[in-house]
Amino acid sequence: MTSSPIPLSWEASYEQWKQSRYPSLLEKDWKTAFSDYPWISFSDSPFVALSKPLNQSRIALISSAGVSLTTQPPYDAEDPFGDHSFRVIDTKTPLPSWQVNHGHYDTTSAQVDYNTVFPLDILTQLAQNGYIGSLAAENYTFMGYQPDPRPFYEKSAGKILEGLRAQGVDAVLLIPG
């Protein structure tokens, strides 16, 4: 399990917000619901420099766009508190049919070409052309809309991190959705 970077002091603010804005969340009135959301800010960055050249590095892709294969369960875009699960996209299996389930951004482009939010084909080409060493065999997606990020850290982040480590990933390309 990955320890949560969410400050304990945030919890009370979040619970108060959740209680007062629950009706707005149910009505999908995002402007009202998030007008006083207790955003978390960080003063530091977890940046770590690459220990080897990019053309020798294994790269993984992680997207918060809500992309999944049609053979995988869709994300629950209707839950007012988000879906805290993740999906593994195996690069050995072509993406013949995918789905995007995310009710909090315009998914029009993603529905036409998943590379707009999960650039798997582009990274594959970069690896084939020697610009990156290799693409991880397993890459990850999740739904970025999560007003309470704690369940994601408790249930998903550690498993994703284990998968990245097991594959010997040197760097991750994070794609917002």
Side-chain angles (χ1 to χ4, degrees), residues 46-59:
F47 177 80
V48 176
L50 275 173
S51 61
K52 55 184 159 184
L54 192 57
N55 65 358
Q56 297 172 18
S57 298
R58 175 164 292 142
I59 309 299

Side-chain angles (χ1 to χ4, degrees), residues 50-61 91-92 123 127 131-139 163-173:
L50 275 173
S51 61
K52 55 184 159 184
L54 192 57
N55 65 358
Q56 297 172 18
S57 298
R58 175 164 292 142
I59 309 299
L61 181 59
T91 57
K92 296 174 188 164
L123 286 180
Y131 292 106
I132 63 174
S134 63
L135 177 59
E138 293 182 345
N139 296 274
L164 295 170
R165 286 181 175 153
Q167 297 181 82
V169 169
D170 299 301
V172 174
L173 180 59

Side-chain angles (χ1 to χ4, degrees), residues 71-87:
T71 56
Q72 298 170 321
Y75 292 98
D76 184 357
E78 296 302 315
D79 187 321
F81 297 102
D83 182 332
H84 306 291
S85 63
F86 68 96
R87 308 289 181 270

Side-chain angles (χ1 to χ4, degrees), residues 96-136:
S97 56
W98 70 94
Q99 57 194 348
V100 180
N101 298 97
H102 200 308
H104 299 275
Y105 76 96
D106 182 355
T107 63
T108 304
S109 294
Q111 298 290 353
V112 174
D113 181 1
Y114 64 84
N115 282 288
T116 60
V117 293
F118 194 72
L120 189 61
D121 294 340
I122 296 163
L123 286 180
T124 298
Q125 290 172 0
L126 290 172
Q128 289 170 347
N129 293 330
Y131 292 106
I132 63 174
S134 63
L135 177 59

